């Protein structure tokens, strides 16, 4: 199996690149942000809970997020591998993911960490907010909070994967195709 974590701050291009990568490597794409948005649209109890955090740019609590991710993995017993987009975002989530994959006799292949300067991220997200319909992209204060939450709670995970010799730093500035080629080269070094 090939199991990829695509990692980086909001606006780094994780979703865009995941769409290309899951096709290239025949993986199941799991985006926790997309799953939460589907729950919100379906007006489920989980969606209602998640929305209060998402609207402020805060992380949804680990127990909710990990449970949802685990269900999604277990719904795909025949997957050739997974691309995890927007998960893990905290150390307990990363530990839970390792444990879950271990129970399936597999593990993370590599964590692709997209590098994009902060000001470019804010510009990209404000631009995306014009068409995405996402409340959390439309407000600059919420965007800056999401970046601060990323710095505080999520970026330390780079050390988690570095210590496992699984971290691939990838330049996230360029055309979609250029970045895709860099990501494929990084995966092929591990796969
Ligand atoms: P994203 O679509 O990945 O930008 O996620 C949008 C929002 O969903 C985030 O700002 C969080 O509020 C929530 N979210 C998505 N993934 C996670 C996660 N792994 N842990 C906690 N909250 C998450």
């Amino acid at each position: 199996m090939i199991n990829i974590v695509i990692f980086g701050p909001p606006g780094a291009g994780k979703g865009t690149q995941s769409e290309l990568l899951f096709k290239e490597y025949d993986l199941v794409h799991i985006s926790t942000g997309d799953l939460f948005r589907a729950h919100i649209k379906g007006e489920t109890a989980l969606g209602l809970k998640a929305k209060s955090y998402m609207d402020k740019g805060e992380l949804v609590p680990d127990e909710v997020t990990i449970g949802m991710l685990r269900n999604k993995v277990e719904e795909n017993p025949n997957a050739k591998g997974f691309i995890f987009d927007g998960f893990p975002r905290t150390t307990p989530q990363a530990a839970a993911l390792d444990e879950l994959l271990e129970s399936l006799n597999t593990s993370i292949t590599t964590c692709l960490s997209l590098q994009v300067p902060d000001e470019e991220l804010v510009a990209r997200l404000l631009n995306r907010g014009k068409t995405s319909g996402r409340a959390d992209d439309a407000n600059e204060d919420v965007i800056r909070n999401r970046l601060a939450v990323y710095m505080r709670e999520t970026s330390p995970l780079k050390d988690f994967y570095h210590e496992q010799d699984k971290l691939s730093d990838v330049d996230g500035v360029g055309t979609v195709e250029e970045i895709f080629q860099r990501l494929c080269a990084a995966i092929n070094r591990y796969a």
Side-chain angles (χ1 to χ4, degrees):
M1 275 173 108
I2 294 183
N3 299 302
I4 304 294
V5 169
I6 187 148
F7 191 84
K14 300 186 295 295
T16 304
Q17 292 296 333
S18 294
E19 291 295 324
L20 300 172
L21 290 168
F22 92 82
K23 291 183 192 133
E24 180 77 14
Y25 292 92
D26 199 10
L27 306 174
V28 173
H29 175 203
I30 302 183
S31 156
T32 42
D34 286 350
L35 291 174
F36 284 133
R37 283 183 286 277
H39 275 281
I40 291 171
K41 208 167 163 200
E43 298 180 346
T44 69
L46 193 153
L48 203 67
K49 177 153 200 191
K51 189 175 182 333
S52 59
Y53 295 93
M54 292 169 76
D55 283 350
K56 290 181 279 190
E58 299 290 337
L59 295 183
V60 179
D62 280 342
E63 63 274 17
V64 177
T65 309
I66 291 168
M68 181 180 73
L69 185 279
R70 187 179 294 128
N71 287 342
K72 197 73 196 170
V73 168
E74 288 173 355
E75 275 171 24
N76 289 279
N78 300 319
K80 291 186 182 165
F82 294 92
I83 180 157
F84 299 101
D85 164 8
F87 185 97
R89 267 173 150 104
T90 63
T91 307
Q93 290 182 15
L97 181 59
D98 275 1
E99 216 173 280
L100 176 61
L101 293 177
E102 203 180 318
S103 75
L104 302 173
N105 290 317
T106 185
S107 60
I108 292 297
T109 307
T110 182
C111 169
L112 303 168
S113 171
L114 286 166
Q115 320 279 320
V116 179
D118 269 10
E119 286 317 305
E120 169 139 357
L121 295 171
V122 175
R124 284 186 191 181
L125 289 168
L126 283 171
N127 198 38
R128 184 169 86 185
K130 291 180 195 156
T131 54
S132 69
R134 281 180 56 170
D136 61 347
D137 284 345
N139 177 310
E140 185 160 346
D141 289 341
V142 174
I143 289 175
R144 292 205 182 269
N145 190 40
R146 286 161 66 200
L147 292 174
V149 167
Y150 170 80
M151 283 307 296
R152 188 173 69 235
E153 298 186 48
T154 304
S155 68
L157 286 183
K158 282 189 246 176
D159 292 338
F160 180 94
Y161 288 108
H162 180 66
E163 279 161 19
Q164 296 188 9
D165 281 328
K166 289 182 174 174
L167 186 69
S168 302
D169 282 321
V170 177
D171 179 2
V173 179
T175 67
V176 170
E177 178 61 25
E178 280 164 356
I179 299 163
F180 175 64
Q181 292 305 333
R182 288 175 205 147
L183 292 170
C184 290
I187 292 171
N188 296 341
R189 277 197 287 278
Y190 285 86

